[in-house]
Each structure stands twice: as C-alpha cells, then as structure tokens.
Amino acid sequence: MTGNPQRKYRADYQPPAWLIDDVELDFDIGSAQTHVRATHSVRRNPDGPAAEDWRLDGRDMTLVSVAIDGRRLGESEYSCGDSALVLHGPPEAFTLTVETRIDPEHNLSLEGLYRSGDILCTQCEATGFSRITYFPDRPDVMSRYVTRITADAQAHPVLLSNGDCVEIGSAGAGRHYAVFEDPFVKPCYLFALVAGDLGVLRDSHTTPSGRTIDLRLYTEHGNEDQCAHAMASLKQAMVWDEATYGLEYDLDSYAIVAVGSFNMGAMENKSLNVFNTACIFAAPETATDDDFALVRDVVAHEYFHNYTGNRVTCRDWFQLSLKEGLTVHREHQFAIDQGSPGVTRIEQVRAIREVQFPEDAGPRAHPVRPESYVEMNNFYTITVYHKGAELIRMMEAMAGRDAFIAGVRHYLAKHDGQAVTIEDFVVAIEESTGLDLAQFRRWYAQAGTPRVGVQTDYREGALALTLTQSTPATPGQPDKADFDIPVSVALFDDAGRMVREPEVLRLDTAQAEWRFEGLAGEPTVSALRGFTAPVRLDHAPDDAALARLMAHDSDPVCRWDAAQSLFLKTLVAGVAARSGGEALPEPSERLFEAIAHLLSNPPADRALLAAMLTLPSVTRIGEEFDAIDIHAVCAARDHLKQAIATRFLEEFEALRADHAALQAYVFDVEEAGRRRVFRLALDYLAAVDAPGLRERALELSRTADNMTDRMAALEALRDLPGAARDTALAEFAERWADYPLVMDKWLRLQAGTRRADSVEQVTALLDDARFDFTNPNRVRALLGGFARGNPAGFHRADSGGYTLIADQVVRLDALNPQLAAALAGLLTPWRRHAEPEASAMRAALARVGEGVHSDNTREIVEAGLAEAPRSG
C-alpha cells in the first residue's frame, strides 16, 4: 500500500468559515456530459475561524469557471487541485458562481450523479455532492436549494429534485426543464436529482390536520406491479409516525425512486428518496416474506428520517449515529408494532449478536461515535446504526416509552433546522425525562461489548442477585470505565409461574447486589429480558432451568435464548471434542425432552416456534471460543442438526404437511409464521435426506405460488446430490432470467452451497453472462453470499476461498471502492480463527493491501493488519 491518506479527528472539529444561505443549481444534462452551474449566497460565519482562504471540496469534474458577484476570477484568485477549489481572500459576503462539467455516464463509483440503467440519479451521502460541484461538503453547512434541470424530453421525460416543483416548460430543440424549490434548509448530502423515462405509481395520504400529501413511486417501466407493497408501507409508516410521535409530513409531495445500481439500501434525501430496487420491489411470486418485511421496514426508516435526520441533522460525520441510531430505533419500534413482536425483536437481537458483537471484538472495533476516520463510507457500520439504536432503546427502557417519546419531540422542537451533536440529543432527553445520563454517555465513547455476570445465592426465602461488568480491550482503548447498564430481570418458580414481575436494574458499578425477599423456593432468574442492553450475559442456569424458561418464560427473547443456550451446550462440547480428535458426542436426553415438549406444546406464534427450533449460527457458535476451529464448528452443527432430524423425523414430516400452503399468498403475521415453520421442517428433513424429500421439493419449486415456499424448496435441495438439485436450479434460472432481484437469489443460493466445489462454482459464476460485476446487488449476492453464508467454502482448507475473495477485492477496488472495502472487511477477523486458517486469512488480506489504491479499502486493510490491542 502506498500514499498517505489523511485521517480526520473529531477533536479537530471547527465550525465552517463561511456559510451558504441559498443554493441555486442549474443542471444541463447532455448525451455525454452534464454541465452544472451553481450559484451560492455566501457570508462569513461569525462563529467560524478567521480563515483567509476558503476551501470547497470537489473530485472527478472539470472546472469551467468561477466568479464572485458576477466577475470571473483570475488564476491568482483561486487554485484548483484533484480534491478542492480554494478561493484566496474572498469577501465577507458575496455571490459565488461555479460552473463544472461532470461525466455521469462513466461514473462507476455510484456516488455523485451517475447512471443506473436508463436512469440518472444521485447519491450524495456522505461526500458524493463534491462529485457534482465544488462545495464545502460537510453536514453543518445548511442551505435552501432551488434546482433547475434541463434534459432531452424523450430520453428524460421525468425530472425530479428536492422540494416542490414550481415551474416546468419547454427548452426548445426537443428539450424541457423543471424547477424545484425546497423551503427547508438542508446539508448538501441530502440533495437529490433524478432524470429518466420512468413509470409511476401514484397515491395520496391525508394527515390528521386534513392536508393531502401527493405520493409517487417511480421505477423503470414494467416494474410498477412490484411496488404496491412499498407504497402501502409508506402510508403505514406515515400513519404510525403521526399516531406514535405526533409527526406529520411537512411538504405537499413525497417521492421515491427505485434504481437497480445503488451502494446502499436507500437514501433519505429530503422529499425525494432514492432506493435500491431490492428495498422496493415485492410481489408474492418474486419476493420472500423476508423481502416483504425488508421493504416495509426500509421504506419506514427513510420516511422517519424526515424529522430525525433531515429537519434535525448531524453537525459532522462523527455524529452519524445521531440520525441513524435514532431512526433505526424508530424503525425497530415500527416493525415490532406491525409484525410478530417477539420474533421481530429476536431478529434485531440476532443482528447485534452475530454481526455487531464480532465487529466489537475485531480490529475495526469503534465507539458508536468514532473518534477518527480516513474514509467516512467505512463507518456506515452496524455499530453506528444498530448498536446506536440499542443505546436509544436503553434510554427508552429507563425513561418509559411515553416519557421517551415526549423527550424526542422536545429534541426535535429545540433543534429544528439545526445540525447538532449526540450530546445535544442526550441533553434534550435529560431535560424532558429527568434522567441522569452522565455515566450513560460512556456508551457513545467506548468501544467493545461489556460482559455482565449473573450470580445468585438463595437462602431462607431470599435471593441475593449479584451483577458484575467488565469490558475487554479494543484498539486504542485498553481500559474501560464502568457503563450504566439497564438489566431487566424477572423470577419464575419451579412450575414456570412468575413470582417477581420484571424490573429494570441499573448496573453502574463493577459489581452490585439486589435482594428479593419472601420467596417460597429458589427461583429461576430470567435476565436481560427483551435484550435491554447490548451486552454478553455470563449466566449459566442448569439444563432444568433452561428447559423451564424455554417452556414458560413470558418474554419471547428469553424463551428463545434459553433454547439457544441448550443447543450451545451440546455444540460447544461437540466443537471441543472434534478439535481434540475425539468423536462427536450425542445430544443429551434433556435437550431432546425440551424439543419434544416444544413440539407438543408450541407457542401460539408459529414464527416463535421456528425461531426456537433453529440452531445457533456458525458465527454464534464461534463466539464461544477464543480461537475458532471453523471446521469443528461446522461439523458439530451438522451433527446436532442430523441428530435432531433423525430423532424427530415423524414430527418434522408432520410439521411440513400441516404447514403447507392451503390458500393464495398473503403477507401477514399468521401466514408468514406458517411458512417459517414449513421452511424449518424442510431444512431438518434435508439434513438427513428424508425419503421422498427431493421429489417433493422439486415439485414445490415448480408449483409454489410464492417465492418464500419456492426458495424453501431450493434451499432444501441445494446441498443434496442427484439430478433434482440441478434440474431445479436450471428451471429457476430459465423462468426468472428477466428478474434481476430473483436472479440475485439464484446466485446467493449457489454461493452458499456446502458442496466441496463451491469455490469453483462461484468462480464459474463470475464469468456467467447473468453476473454483472458493476452492479452492487450482484456482487453482494455472489461474493458476499459466499464469504458470509458459506463458512465451509470460504474457509476451505486449501485457502481457495480466501484467494477468491482477495482477487475480487483488488479487481473491485478500481471500480467501486466502497463495495471493495466492505468485501475486504470479511478477511479482517483472522485473529479470531485457529491455525492454519488465521495465517492464510492474514496472508490474503496482506495481498489485498499490495493491490488496492483507494483510501476506502486501504483503511480496512491497515486496521486488519494492525497490532492487536492489549489490556492495560
């Protein structure tokens, strides 16, 4: 790796030297290039530094001219380099006009203005606006925008930007124009422009105050029938936000545009959201239940940003979780209120444990509010988003939901139209709720996952409950101060009856004790109910207590967690045996008895039954070990799965038959739960290649009326030998060849196969005409699906999986550094693995470092190769 990328530090923040009150943008879209004329009303910031020169960020564009107050500047009055335009000694207040040329047709970074299919669209967060024009590309420069777009009327009949359309007309020679005015101040990262020949789905929403909002969802022609669920989800989110937070949408129109090439899931640009089609398209024949839920939740997330992110935004990018953590929390609240509450929360917990906890334990561990970065795009992480949301959830748990919502409204009113900090949010919550969050602030400053120990001592009708906390070292933070940790606890008797109602205990010291008096016998402790804090719980109830919680706990998360703990006991013993060269042990009768009880006494929510019978993932099992023997983990999991499937073969056959579809597809809680159980049953039957399974699965892949059941059939066939698998995959590809998102499923399915030749299959698919290396969805499906979803193949003994990923990261870095960096990150946890995998992963990561040039990927590689932290 060469070069000297500049690291930015939160401690170095200074307010902008100049402010821009108004921005006028004039885009003249040509067949090859786009001409941009930007006119800014500028004034010196009275609270900013006394700078002589003013730097405006800019990349990958041609400067045509620069003028102040209508006078074109001479060469001595400014300088222009690869990354900035610098004005020398500008006046205190002036009008700046900058003209540039950009080339969206050849912009493969998918930042700034670029082409996705037949659509021109923008992506400006975090710093994509500086690929459009020279501008102080930082979120604390808040301006009002007027945008004029001129383009060929036939190629681009639809022209869109932020705000309300105030003028349209002919520009002559077959061209037309549209002018948009956004009355709300915003940072440049929220700017958006779309031009293309698009189909549209229209609807409207009437607010509680009687205003009618025009709703439009744009997509390439022919896809309109896949957008109805997204439109319904938008209206659902609007109603929920009005009822829950009292927030009405603030403009007269709201538009969404779905594009096929997008680095993210979606972008919350003011009044003009741009979405990846994967987060918009959902029809029964082409989308699974998980897809339907994803569309619902992402549409809601971006809508909720209108207030928590747009009306009040972040002062600098170190504060990213100010908008994302809060909005993810609101999205999580919404999702819980719409679906199966328990299972929805379980899925949120799984994301934290299986993705965020490993990030916190890896070389790129960082606080929810990072202290430094080289490339901001590398910090759109699950720590910032989802751990950040868990911190918000902890505040809600301590304040109570109603008081917390009042606190959020106080925050929005206090800081409307401002770019603020996480501290501003916490202070607003304190002011409104009366909470003391001084110690709680450490959650934003310290990286790592705290471990909370639970010890009990029962004597003569009283239980002494002791909680302890400790946090391991992370890069740059060898020692940790005590956190303020809310831990929800309830007590159950031997019959499974609750004998102490749930209570939130605040652990704010290294150790604390609580006493519960008047108990008739030693209780079973249900701790961290609902996952009240993102911590690892060191609590080891015996098998009888776990079986009791699994059968009777009223909290779905703790009930599921008890089942996971029972599975983990067997799996950990199996991994230890396999690593030591011993035979894999058989599951205990206590585990089989608990499963039998669950099957004969299932919860009313069938989705919860499926969650409780699903084994811990390979990632979750690996978290139990200091050094992961990945092949032993895979072998132990396969062995337990086969043992359960063999013992309960008749029961799983019955579940399959009882939960097969009896009506046309409907996406609701009951039917989605039924399909989850059906899929689980097929998965267990496939583990033992049950008689008749292949024939039934092949037939289902042909006849199912929905993609959820069809994918369940293909997943059951994926790892089985014989012609049924190959036939099903070939027929699927032929049938869905014209549906890109469905073909992504086809790619991901094959990338995840457990067959010994998976590396060779993925390599062959890279050259398949149906794979597009420039499309992020394709890359994530095939390469991400392989590295994340195929541990046996990725960690193959000959290092072929590491070589495959390393080669493609280097190739991708030249086209899309943001995507390359994400893929490179999958090689960084090499220290967590046993030899020889650890050394082989490190060697592959080092080879990536020798071949890449972007700051994005180099930052990831350097962090992965850095010396491990030590405790002080």
Side-chain angles (χ1 to χ4, degrees):
M1 294 180 288
T2 59
N4 184 30
Q6 296 298 307
R7 180 165 290 277
K8 302 174 182 66
Y9 294 89
R10 185 171 72 89
D12 292 340
Y13 171 83
Q14 287 188 324
W18 274 267
L19 300 175
I20 301 177
D21 293 320
D22 296 289
V23 174
E24 294 183 11
L25 296 172
D26 189 334
F27 289 82
D28 190 350
I29 298 173
S31 58
Q33 292 188 320
T34 294
H35 183 275
V36 182
R37 178 185 176 92
T39 304
H40 311 308
S41 299
V42 186
R43 60 184 171 90
R44 184 179 284 277
N45 182 5
D47 299 320
E52 293 297 323
D53 291 346
W54 186 32
R55 173 194 167 98
L56 294 89
D57 305 294
R59 300 170 288 160
D60 301 326
M61 69 183 78
T62 300
L63 177 65
V64 176
S65 67
V66 55
I68 287 181
D69 293 332
R71 181 182 64 84
R72 187 163 180 165
L73 300 187
E75 292 184 0
S76 64
E77 297 176 278
Y78 71 92
S79 56
C80 188
D82 292 339
S83 61
L85 168 68
V86 179
L87 302 185
H88 303 312
E92 295 293 299
F94 58 98
T95 298
L96 174 68
T97 304
V98 178
E99 295 188 49
T100 57
R101 284 197 303 270
I102 55 178
D103 184 6
E105 301 295 330
H106 296 94
N107 179 6
L108 299 180
S109 70
L110 309 191
E111 293 182 302
L113 181 65
Y114 68 94
R115 179 172 293 283
S116 173
D118 292 331
I119 305 173
L120 286 178
C121 66
T122 56
Q123 170 54 31
C124 293
E125 188 178 354
T127 56
F129 194 74
S130 57
R131 290 181 182 270
I132 295 173
T133 188
Y134 290 98
F135 197 84
D137 199 346
R138 47 190 290 169
D140 56 352
V141 176
M142 307 276 283
S143 314
R144 290 180 177 83
Y145 283 68
V146 175
T147 304
R148 179 189 174 101
I149 311 166
T150 305
D152 183 273
Q154 184 174 356
H156 304 293
V158 174
L159 304 176
L160 302 169
S161 191
N162 310 91
D164 296 321
C165 184
V166 295
E167 184 181 348
I168 58 173
S170 172
R175 296 170 66 77
H176 69 146
Y177 73 91
V179 179
F180 294 83
E181 183 174 340
D182 186 351
F184 294 97
V185 294
K186 65 174 180 282
C188 64
Y189 82 83
L190 290 172
F191 172 77
L193 179 152
V194 171
D197 185 4
L198 303 172
V200 62
L201 180 66
R202 293 182 178 273
D203 208 327
S204 64
H205 169 72
T206 302
T207 69
S209 66
R211 295 171 51 242
T212 298
I213 312 299
D214 176 34
L215 307 178
R216 288 163 287 136
L217 199 162
Y218 294 91
T219 178
E220 291 180 326
H221 292 289
N223 295 321
E224 294 90 341
D225 60 343
Q226 299 186 69
C227 299
H229 174 65
M231 180 63 81
S233 298
L234 173 59
K235 297 177 71 173
Q236 199 174 5
M238 297 177 87
V239 170
W240 184 88
D241 214 21
E242 291 162 352
T244 306
Y245 282 88
L247 299 175
E248 280 192 8
Y249 183 63
D250 52 7
L251 288 170
D252 294 332
S253 66
Y254 187 93
I256 290 173
V257 181
V259 300
S261 293
F262 203 67
N263 276 335
M264 301 181 179
M267 180 61 210
E268 71 270 17
N269 316 298
K270 182 70 179 182
S271 77
L272 178 57
N273 293 179
V274 179
F275 272 69
N276 191 318
T277 52
C279 297
I280 287 293
F281 292 175
E285 283 214 336
T286 56
T288 65
D289 289 336
D290 290 342
D291 296 329
F292 271 83
L294 175 71
V295 168
R296 179 196 66 200
D297 298 344
V298 176
V299 167
H301 177 101
E302 305 307 331
Y303 173 74
F304 296 153
H305 263 312
N306 186 60
Y307 280 92
T308 53
N310 294 4
R311 287 283 289 265
V312 182
T313 194
C314 46
R315 183 195 73 179
D316 53 74
W317 290 120
F318 297 102
Q319 318 295 330
L320 178 61
S321 196
L322 173 75
K323 72 184 185 76
E324 296 299 348
L326 178 54
T327 304
V328 170
H329 174 68
R330 277 154 48 74
E331 171 201 333
H332 283 179
Q333 289 178 308
F334 169 78
I336 286 171
D337 288 350
Q338 306 308 314
S340 165
V343 174
T344 301
R345 181 57 185 157
I346 286 168
E347 290 170 348
Q348 296 163 3
V349 173
R350 284 187 59 191
I352 289 289
R353 286 183 173 170
E354 296 184 9
V355 185
Q356 197 282 318
F357 281 5
E359 182 169 275
D360 247 351
R364 293 194 60 246
H366 56 276
V368 170
R369 179 164 59 186
E371 294 299 324
S372 71
Y373 63 82
V374 171
E375 171 51 60
M376 184 56 214
N377 284 322
N378 289 335
F379 281 87
Y380 283 76
T381 63
I382 191 167
T383 296
V384 168
Y385 277 63
H386 289 256
K387 186 175 181 179
E390 293 300 314
L391 306 195
I392 304 294
R393 193 175 194 276
M394 284 193 279
M395 293 186 217
E396 181 184 303
M398 292 185 287
R401 186 167 187 177
D402 290 345
F404 170 78
I405 288 172
V408 172
R409 288 182 56 82
H410 170 64
Y411 157 74
L412 294 174
K414 180 179 180 182
H415 295 293
D416 191 18
Q418 298 177 11
V420 299
T421 67
I422 286 170
E423 183 71 18
D424 291 317
F425 175 78
V426 176
V427 167
I429 295 298
E430 287 178 317
E431 290 172 344
S432 180
T433 65
L435 287 173
D436 178 358
L437 298 173
Q439 185 173 342
F440 185 85
R441 287 166 170 78
R442 292 173 184 168
W443 280 102
Y444 286 103
Q446 296 186 152
T449 303
R451 302 192 76 101
V452 172
V454 181
Q455 294 90 35
T456 59
D457 183 12
Y458 175 77
R459 299 181 187 181
E460 299 178 352
L463 176 75
L465 175 67
T466 301
L467 300 180
T468 60
Q469 65 166 293
S470 63
T471 307
T474 56
Q477 293 185 337
D479 302 304
K480 311 287 183 173
D482 291 333
F483 286 97
D484 184 356
I485 305 174
V487 181
S488 178
V489 171
L491 305 180
F492 291 82
D493 65 16
D494 286 346
R497 295 184 295 263
M498 185 181 290
V499 295
R500 281 294 188 276
E501 293 293 322
E503 178 181 352
V504 176
L505 311 178
R506 286 180 70 172
L507 175 64
D508 55 9
T509 56
Q511 178 173 315
E513 179 181 299
W514 289 265
R515 291 183 62 82
F516 300 89
E517 308 279 356
L519 301 170
E522 183 171 2
T524 298
V525 177
S526 171
L528 205 65
R529 295 170 63 79
F531 197 67
T532 44
V535 302
R536 296 183 189 277
L537 198 64
D538 293 332
H539 184 208
D542 59 26
D543 287 0
L546 289 173
R548 190 176 306 120
L549 293 173
M550 184 175 167
H552 301 293
D553 200 321
S554 55
D555 177 59
V557 174
C558 283
R559 193 174 180 186
W560 163 77
D561 214 12
Q564 295 285 289
S565 296
L566 272 177
F567 288 140
L568 279 169
K569 286 191 173 187
T570 301
L571 290 163
V572 168
V575 173
R578 178 63 178 262
S579 295
E582 302 173 8
L584 288 164
E586 294 305 313
S588 68
E589 282 302 312
R590 174 74 74 176
L591 175 60
F592 283 143
E593 290 169 4
I595 294 172
H597 184 273
L598 181 61
L599 287 168
S600 59
N601 299 276
D605 183 351
R606 290 308 173 106
L608 180 57
L609 172 65
M612 292 177 69
L613 287 172
T614 299
L615 295 181
S617 69
V618 169
T619 300
R620 177 66 186 90
I621 301 165
E623 287 298 297
E624 297 296 307
F625 299 91
D626 293 331
I628 305 168
D629 182 342
I630 193 69
H631 302 293
V633 170
C634 291
R637 192 176 188 277
D638 288 347
H639 181 73
L640 177 56
K641 192 173 185 179
Q642 290 164 3
I644 293 171
T646 300
R647 180 68 169 262
F648 297 101
L649 184 63
E650 292 184 4
E651 288 83 351
F652 285 123
E653 283 283 10
L655 283 178
R656 180 198 61 78
D658 292 345
H659 291 78
L662 296 176
Q663 64 180 51
Y665 179 90
V666 177
F667 178 64
D668 62 20
V669 173
E670 183 175 346
E671 280 295 291
R674 176 195 62 75
R675 284 186 290 269
R676 282 193 183 216
V677 175
F678 179 73
R679 177 184 179 185
L680 174 102
L682 284 183
D683 187 48
Y684 272 107
L685 294 172
V688 292
D689 197 4
L693 173 71
R694 297 187 206 181
E695 293 77 14
R696 284 194 294 268
L698 178 58
E699 180 63 17
L700 180 63
S701 74
R702 293 166 168 165
T703 61
D705 78 334
N706 66 87
M707 186 56 69
T708 307
D709 286 346
R710 187 175 290 112
M711 287 302 296
L714 290 174
E715 289 165 356
L717 290 170
R718 177 177 57 191
D719 300 329
L720 297 178
R725 172 191 184 272
D726 295 338
T727 300
L729 285 172
E731 292 178 352
F732 186 90
E734 182 179 1
R735 179 174 182 179
W736 302 107
D738 296 331
Y739 292 80
L741 294 179
V742 181
M743 293 307 293
D744 288 343
K745 301 180 193 302
W746 180 77
L747 290 169
R748 186 177 291 108
L749 188 78
Q750 294 173 88
T753 182
R754 298 289 300 280
R755 289 160 56 129
D757 64 346
S758 61
V759 173
E760 289 72 24
Q761 287 196 38
V762 172
T763 302
L765 286 167
L766 285 169
D767 294 325
D768 191 292
R770 291 163 288 197
F771 179 75
D772 179 0
F773 201 72
T774 66
N775 184 284
N777 288 348
R778 287 285 193 274
V779 174
R780 282 188 284 259
L782 184 59
L783 297 176
F786 171 72
R788 290 188 175 92
N790 190 347
F794 180 50
H795 298 283
R796 203 169 72 175
D798 66 356
S799 302
Y802 308 146
T803 300
L804 169 64
I805 294 301
D807 288 346
Q808 300 313 311
V809 169
V810 173
R811 177 185 174 192
L812 189 61
D813 186 66
L815 302 176
N816 189 330
Q818 189 174 338
L819 197 55
L823 202 59
L826 301 177
L827 290 166
T828 59
W830 57 270
R831 289 187 185 86
R832 293 283 294 117
H833 289 266
E835 293 294 353
E837 286 76 28
S839 293
M841 286 179 76
R842 189 190 187 284
L845 185 65
R847 193 158 62 80
V848 168
E850 294 171 357
V852 300
H853 302 284
S854 73
D855 287 350
N856 303 63
T857 309
R858 292 192 316 181
E859 181 177 20
I860 298 298
V861 174
E862 288 175 354
L865 296 176
E867 184 178 352
R870 293 181 175 87
S871 297

